[in-house]
Short mmCIF file of all heavy atoms in Angstrom, two decimals:
data_model
loop_
_atom_site.label_atom_id
_atom_site.label_comp_id
_atom_site.label_asym_id
_atom_site.label_seq_id
_atom_site.Cartn_x
_atom_site.Cartn_y
_atom_site.Cartn_z
N ASP A 104 99.35 69.93 112.22
CA ASP A 104 100.34 70.25 113.25
C ASP A 104 100.01 69.56 114.61
O ASP A 104 100.89 69.07 115.20
CB ASP A 104 100.34 71.75 113.39
CG ASP A 104 101.51 72.33 114.20
OD1 ASP A 104 102.54 71.66 114.28
OD2 ASP A 104 101.36 73.43 114.85
N ALA A 105 98.72 69.63 114.87
CA ALA A 105 98.28 68.99 116.21
C ALA A 105 98.55 67.50 116.18
O ALA A 105 99.07 67.00 117.23
CB ALA A 105 96.83 69.30 116.39
N ILE A 106 98.25 66.86 115.13
CA ILE A 106 98.50 65.31 115.09
C ILE A 106 99.99 65.07 115.10
O ILE A 106 100.44 64.12 115.80
CB ILE A 106 97.80 64.69 113.87
CG1 ILE A 106 96.32 64.89 113.92
CG2 ILE A 106 98.14 63.22 113.75
CD1 ILE A 106 95.51 64.47 112.77
N ASN A 107 100.72 65.88 114.37
CA ASN A 107 102.20 65.69 114.41
C ASN A 107 102.79 65.95 115.82
O ASN A 107 103.70 65.23 116.20
CB ASN A 107 102.89 66.66 113.43
CG ASN A 107 102.90 66.03 112.04
OD1 ASN A 107 103.74 65.25 111.65
ND2 ASN A 107 101.92 66.43 111.23
N LEU A 108 102.23 66.87 116.50
CA LEU A 108 102.62 67.10 117.89
C LEU A 108 102.52 65.86 118.76
O LEU A 108 103.49 65.46 119.47
CB LEU A 108 101.87 68.26 118.45
CG LEU A 108 102.28 69.01 119.76
CD1 LEU A 108 101.42 70.27 119.97
CD2 LEU A 108 102.15 68.11 120.98
N VAL A 109 101.32 65.24 118.69
CA VAL A 109 101.11 64.03 119.48
C VAL A 109 101.96 62.90 119.00
O VAL A 109 102.58 62.15 119.78
CB VAL A 109 99.60 63.68 119.44
CG1 VAL A 109 99.31 62.38 120.22
CG2 VAL A 109 98.74 64.79 119.98
N ALA A 110 101.98 62.74 117.65
CA ALA A 110 102.78 61.61 117.10
C ALA A 110 104.27 61.74 117.50
O ALA A 110 104.94 60.79 117.87
CB ALA A 110 102.63 61.53 115.58
N ALA A 111 104.80 62.97 117.46
CA ALA A 111 106.20 63.20 117.89
C ALA A 111 106.40 62.91 119.33
O ALA A 111 107.43 62.38 119.72
CB ALA A 111 106.60 64.64 117.42
N GLY A 112 105.43 63.34 120.18
CA GLY A 112 105.55 63.04 121.57
C GLY A 112 105.56 61.62 121.91
O GLY A 112 106.28 61.11 122.72
N PHE A 113 104.59 60.89 121.19
CA PHE A 113 104.55 59.42 121.38
C PHE A 113 105.87 58.71 120.93
O PHE A 113 106.35 57.88 121.56
CB PHE A 113 103.33 58.84 120.69
CG PHE A 113 102.15 58.81 121.63
CD1 PHE A 113 101.55 59.95 122.04
CD2 PHE A 113 101.72 57.55 122.12
CE1 PHE A 113 100.48 59.97 122.94
CE2 PHE A 113 100.61 57.56 123.04
CZ PHE A 113 100.00 58.75 123.41
N ARG A 114 106.37 59.23 119.77
CA ARG A 114 107.61 58.72 119.28
C ARG A 114 108.71 58.82 120.36
O ARG A 114 109.43 57.92 120.65
CB ARG A 114 108.04 59.46 118.02
CG ARG A 114 109.51 58.95 117.51
CD ARG A 114 110.08 59.90 116.55
NE ARG A 114 110.52 61.21 117.07
CZ ARG A 114 111.48 61.38 118.01
NH1 ARG A 114 112.15 60.40 118.46
NH2 ARG A 114 111.74 62.56 118.39
N ARG A 115 108.73 60.05 120.87
CA ARG A 115 109.82 60.28 121.88
C ARG A 115 109.66 59.59 123.16
O ARG A 115 110.63 59.02 123.76
CB ARG A 115 109.94 61.84 122.07
CG ARG A 115 111.08 62.17 122.95
CD ARG A 115 111.40 63.67 122.92
NE ARG A 115 112.57 63.92 123.76
CZ ARG A 115 113.50 64.86 123.59
NH1 ARG A 115 113.43 65.55 122.48
NH2 ARG A 115 114.48 64.96 124.33
N ALA A 116 108.44 59.54 123.65
CA ALA A 116 108.23 59.08 125.06
C ALA A 116 107.59 57.73 125.16
O ALA A 116 107.86 57.01 126.16
CB ALA A 116 107.47 60.15 125.77
N PHE A 117 106.74 57.33 124.32
CA PHE A 117 105.85 56.20 124.56
C PHE A 117 106.00 55.01 123.57
O PHE A 117 105.48 53.92 123.87
CB PHE A 117 104.43 56.57 124.66
CG PHE A 117 104.20 57.72 125.67
CD1 PHE A 117 103.56 58.83 125.27
CD2 PHE A 117 104.64 57.68 126.94
CE1 PHE A 117 103.33 59.92 126.08
CE2 PHE A 117 104.41 58.78 127.83
CZ PHE A 117 103.80 59.91 127.37
N LEU A 118 106.56 55.23 122.41
CA LEU A 118 106.51 54.21 121.43
C LEU A 118 107.89 53.39 121.45
O LEU A 118 108.92 54.01 121.50
CB LEU A 118 106.38 54.78 120.00
CG LEU A 118 104.96 54.89 119.39
CD1 LEU A 118 105.15 55.25 117.93
CD2 LEU A 118 104.15 53.64 119.52
N HIS A 119 107.74 52.14 121.42
CA HIS A 119 108.97 51.29 121.41
C HIS A 119 108.85 50.25 120.34
O HIS A 119 107.71 50.01 119.74
CB HIS A 119 109.15 50.62 122.75
CG HIS A 119 109.28 51.55 123.91
ND1 HIS A 119 108.25 51.95 124.73
CD2 HIS A 119 110.31 52.40 124.22
CE1 HIS A 119 108.72 52.90 125.55
NE2 HIS A 119 109.93 53.18 125.27
N GLU A 120 109.95 49.61 120.03
CA GLU A 120 109.95 48.57 118.99
C GLU A 120 108.86 47.50 119.25
O GLU A 120 108.68 47.10 120.30
CB GLU A 120 111.32 47.95 118.95
CG GLU A 120 111.52 46.95 117.83
CD GLU A 120 112.89 46.53 117.53
OE1 GLU A 120 113.81 47.23 118.11
OE2 GLU A 120 113.08 45.51 116.83
N GLY A 121 108.16 47.30 118.22
CA GLY A 121 107.09 46.24 118.33
C GLY A 121 105.72 46.75 118.80
O GLY A 121 104.78 46.01 118.65
N ASP A 122 105.73 47.98 119.20
CA ASP A 122 104.45 48.56 119.61
C ASP A 122 103.52 48.82 118.35
O ASP A 122 104.05 48.67 117.23
CB ASP A 122 104.64 49.93 120.29
CG ASP A 122 105.11 49.78 121.74
OD1 ASP A 122 105.02 48.65 122.25
OD2 ASP A 122 105.54 50.70 122.31
N GLU A 123 102.31 49.11 118.62
CA GLU A 123 101.42 49.28 117.45
C GLU A 123 100.61 50.60 117.69
O GLU A 123 100.40 51.07 118.77
CB GLU A 123 100.36 48.17 117.43
CG GLU A 123 101.07 46.82 117.10
CD GLU A 123 100.07 45.61 117.08
OE1 GLU A 123 98.89 45.83 117.29
OE2 GLU A 123 100.51 44.54 116.86
N VAL A 124 100.30 51.18 116.50
CA VAL A 124 99.43 52.36 116.45
C VAL A 124 98.29 51.99 115.51
O VAL A 124 98.50 51.49 114.45
CB VAL A 124 100.26 53.56 115.89
CG1 VAL A 124 99.24 54.75 115.53
CG2 VAL A 124 101.28 54.03 116.89
N ILE A 125 97.02 52.27 115.97
CA ILE A 125 95.90 51.97 115.12
C ILE A 125 95.34 53.26 114.51
O ILE A 125 95.06 54.21 115.19
CB ILE A 125 94.79 51.23 115.94
CG1 ILE A 125 95.30 49.89 116.41
CG2 ILE A 125 93.47 51.09 115.07
CD1 ILE A 125 94.20 49.04 117.21
N ILE A 126 95.22 53.23 113.23
CA ILE A 126 94.47 54.23 112.46
C ILE A 126 93.42 53.53 111.67
O ILE A 126 93.16 52.38 111.88
CB ILE A 126 95.38 55.15 111.57
CG1 ILE A 126 96.05 54.32 110.53
CG2 ILE A 126 96.45 55.86 112.41
CD1 ILE A 126 96.83 55.05 109.46
N SER A 127 92.69 54.28 110.79
CA SER A 127 91.70 53.56 109.97
C SER A 127 91.95 53.74 108.51
O SER A 127 92.78 54.55 108.13
CB SER A 127 90.29 54.08 110.36
OG SER A 127 89.96 55.13 109.44
N GLY A 128 91.27 53.00 107.70
CA GLY A 128 91.44 53.01 106.30
C GLY A 128 90.85 54.22 105.64
O GLY A 128 91.09 54.41 104.36
N MET A 129 90.14 55.06 106.37
CA MET A 129 89.60 56.29 105.71
C MET A 129 90.24 57.54 106.22
O MET A 129 89.75 58.63 106.06
CB MET A 129 88.06 56.38 106.02
CG MET A 129 87.65 56.51 107.43
SD MET A 129 85.92 56.78 107.66
CE MET A 129 85.27 55.09 107.47
N GLU A 130 91.47 57.41 106.74
CA GLU A 130 92.19 58.54 107.28
C GLU A 130 92.74 59.48 106.22
O GLU A 130 93.11 59.05 105.12
CB GLU A 130 93.34 58.12 108.22
CG GLU A 130 92.90 57.38 109.45
CD GLU A 130 91.72 58.04 110.22
OE1 GLU A 130 91.83 59.29 110.38
OE2 GLU A 130 90.78 57.34 110.53
N HIS A 131 92.74 60.75 106.54
CA HIS A 131 93.36 61.77 105.74
C HIS A 131 94.87 61.62 105.87
O HIS A 131 95.37 61.11 106.88
CB HIS A 131 93.00 63.13 106.38
CG HIS A 131 93.39 64.34 105.56
ND1 HIS A 131 94.67 64.87 105.61
CD2 HIS A 131 92.70 65.16 104.73
CE1 HIS A 131 94.72 65.96 104.90
NE2 HIS A 131 93.59 66.11 104.27
N HIS A 132 95.66 61.91 104.92
CA HIS A 132 97.15 61.78 104.94
C HIS A 132 97.72 62.39 106.25
O HIS A 132 98.72 61.87 106.76
CB HIS A 132 97.81 62.38 103.76
CG HIS A 132 97.44 61.72 102.42
ND1 HIS A 132 97.70 62.30 101.21
CD2 HIS A 132 96.95 60.48 102.17
CE1 HIS A 132 97.32 61.49 100.28
NE2 HIS A 132 96.83 60.36 100.79
N SER A 133 97.09 63.43 106.74
CA SER A 133 97.56 64.09 107.99
C SER A 133 97.42 63.17 109.18
O SER A 133 97.98 63.49 110.22
CB SER A 133 96.77 65.37 108.18
OG SER A 133 97.11 66.32 107.27
N ASN A 134 96.60 62.13 109.09
CA ASN A 134 96.47 61.21 110.23
C ASN A 134 97.07 59.82 109.86
O ASN A 134 96.78 58.84 110.52
CB ASN A 134 95.03 61.10 110.70
CG ASN A 134 94.93 60.44 112.06
OD1 ASN A 134 95.84 60.53 112.88
ND2 ASN A 134 93.78 59.82 112.32
N ILE A 135 97.83 59.81 108.76
CA ILE A 135 98.53 58.63 108.42
C ILE A 135 100.06 58.85 108.48
O ILE A 135 100.80 58.18 109.27
CB ILE A 135 98.21 58.20 106.95
CG1 ILE A 135 96.73 57.99 106.74
CG2 ILE A 135 99.03 56.93 106.54
CD1 ILE A 135 96.28 57.73 105.34
N VAL A 136 100.47 59.89 107.72
CA VAL A 136 101.97 60.03 107.63
C VAL A 136 102.69 60.33 108.91
O VAL A 136 103.77 59.80 109.17
CB VAL A 136 102.32 61.05 106.55
CG1 VAL A 136 103.79 61.14 106.27
CG2 VAL A 136 101.55 60.73 105.19
N PRO A 137 102.10 61.15 109.81
CA PRO A 137 102.80 61.37 111.14
C PRO A 137 103.09 60.09 111.85
O PRO A 137 104.13 59.91 112.43
CB PRO A 137 101.87 62.31 111.89
CG PRO A 137 100.98 62.95 110.88
CD PRO A 137 100.86 61.88 109.79
N TRP A 138 102.15 59.21 111.80
CA TRP A 138 102.24 57.88 112.53
C TRP A 138 103.22 56.97 111.80
O TRP A 138 103.96 56.24 112.41
CB TRP A 138 100.90 57.23 112.68
CG TRP A 138 99.97 58.09 113.41
CD1 TRP A 138 98.86 58.73 113.03
CD2 TRP A 138 100.08 58.51 114.86
NE1 TRP A 138 98.26 59.49 114.00
CE2 TRP A 138 98.94 59.34 115.15
CE3 TRP A 138 100.96 58.17 115.85
CZ2 TRP A 138 98.69 59.86 116.40
CZ3 TRP A 138 100.80 58.72 117.08
CH2 TRP A 138 99.66 59.53 117.40
N GLN A 139 103.22 57.11 110.42
CA GLN A 139 104.22 56.32 109.68
C GLN A 139 105.66 56.74 110.11
O GLN A 139 106.51 55.99 110.31
CB GLN A 139 104.03 56.52 108.13
CG GLN A 139 102.85 55.77 107.59
CD GLN A 139 102.73 55.94 106.14
OE1 GLN A 139 102.98 56.96 105.58
NE2 GLN A 139 102.20 54.82 105.45
N LEU A 140 105.84 58.12 110.10
CA LEU A 140 107.16 58.52 110.49
C LEU A 140 107.55 58.15 111.91
O LEU A 140 108.77 57.73 112.08
CB LEU A 140 107.18 60.17 110.40
CG LEU A 140 107.10 60.81 109.01
CD1 LEU A 140 106.79 62.31 109.06
CD2 LEU A 140 108.41 60.54 108.23
N ALA A 141 106.59 58.20 112.81
CA ALA A 141 106.90 57.80 114.16
C ALA A 141 107.23 56.36 114.27
O ALA A 141 108.21 55.95 114.94
CB ALA A 141 105.78 58.19 115.14
N CYS A 142 106.35 55.51 113.60
CA CYS A 142 106.53 54.07 113.75
C CYS A 142 107.85 53.65 113.05
O CYS A 142 108.53 52.79 113.57
CB CYS A 142 105.31 53.39 113.05
SG CYS A 142 103.85 53.52 114.05
N GLU A 143 108.12 54.31 111.93
CA GLU A 143 109.31 53.94 111.16
C GLU A 143 110.55 54.14 112.06
O GLU A 143 111.44 53.24 112.10
CB GLU A 143 109.41 54.86 109.93
CG GLU A 143 110.42 54.52 108.91
CD GLU A 143 110.38 55.55 107.86
OE1 GLU A 143 109.34 55.84 107.23
OE2 GLU A 143 111.47 56.21 107.62
N GLU A 144 110.62 55.25 112.82
CA GLU A 144 111.76 55.53 113.63
C GLU A 144 111.87 54.57 114.79
O GLU A 144 112.97 54.26 115.23
CB GLU A 144 111.70 56.97 114.08
CG GLU A 144 113.07 57.60 114.13
CD GLU A 144 113.06 59.05 114.54
OE1 GLU A 144 112.29 59.80 114.10
OE2 GLU A 144 113.94 59.37 115.35
N LYS A 145 110.69 54.14 115.29
CA LYS A 145 110.73 53.33 116.49
C LYS A 145 110.54 51.76 116.14
O LYS A 145 110.40 50.98 117.08
CB LYS A 145 109.69 53.76 117.51
CG LYS A 145 110.01 55.12 118.08
CD LYS A 145 111.25 54.97 118.97
CE LYS A 145 111.71 56.32 119.51
NZ LYS A 145 112.28 56.30 120.80
N LYS A 146 110.48 51.46 114.92
CA LYS A 146 110.26 50.11 114.48
C LYS A 146 108.88 49.59 115.08
O LYS A 146 108.82 48.45 115.63
CB LYS A 146 111.37 49.13 114.81
CG LYS A 146 112.66 49.54 114.10
CD LYS A 146 113.65 48.31 114.10
CE LYS A 146 114.90 48.58 113.40
NZ LYS A 146 115.81 49.54 114.05
N ALA A 147 107.96 50.50 115.17
CA ALA A 147 106.59 50.12 115.65
C ALA A 147 105.73 49.88 114.38
O ALA A 147 106.17 50.11 113.26
CB ALA A 147 105.98 51.24 116.44
N HIS A 148 104.53 49.39 114.62
CA HIS A 148 103.71 48.94 113.45
C HIS A 148 102.44 49.77 113.36
O HIS A 148 101.74 49.91 114.40
CB HIS A 148 103.36 47.48 113.57
CG HIS A 148 104.57 46.56 113.76
ND1 HIS A 148 105.48 46.44 112.77
CD2 HIS A 148 104.98 45.85 114.75
CE1 HIS A 148 106.48 45.67 113.20
NE2 HIS A 148 106.19 45.31 114.46
N LEU A 149 102.08 50.13 112.17
CA LEU A 149 100.86 50.80 111.89
C LEU A 149 99.78 49.81 111.47
O LEU A 149 99.99 49.08 110.51
CB LEU A 149 101.11 51.83 110.83
CG LEU A 149 100.12 52.92 110.57
CD1 LEU A 149 100.00 53.84 111.88
CD2 LEU A 149 100.50 53.81 109.37
N LYS A 150 98.74 49.85 112.22
CA LYS A 150 97.62 48.89 111.98
C LYS A 150 96.39 49.68 111.51
O LYS A 150 96.18 50.77 111.96
CB LYS A 150 97.27 48.10 113.18
CG LYS A 150 98.40 47.32 113.79
CD LYS A 150 98.70 46.06 112.89
CE LYS A 150 99.96 45.35 113.33
NZ LYS A 150 100.08 44.00 112.60
N VAL A 151 95.71 49.10 110.56
CA VAL A 151 94.58 49.89 109.87
C VAL A 151 93.27 49.22 110.07
O VAL A 151 93.08 48.07 109.58
CB VAL A 151 94.96 50.05 108.40
CG1 VAL A 151 93.91 50.92 107.70
CG2 VAL A 151 96.35 50.67 108.22
#
Side-chain angles (χ1 to χ4, degrees):
Chain A
D104 191 26
I106 297 174
N107 276 277
L108 193 168
V109 179
F113 269 68
R114 176 196 68 68
R115 185 165 179 146
F117 308 125
L118 267 190
H119 300 100
E120 185 167 346
D122 283 347
E123 297 179 359
V124 169
I125 294 182
I126 60 172
S127 94
M129 63 174 80
E130 298 310 314
H131 188 279
H132 295 162
S133 291
N134 198 26
I135 302 174
V136 187
W138 301 111
Q139 284 182 324
L140 288 168
C142 287
E143 192 183 306
E144 214 178 318
K145 290 293 174 148
K146 301 199 175 72
H148 307 293
L149 194 63
K150 300 286 173 170
V151 183

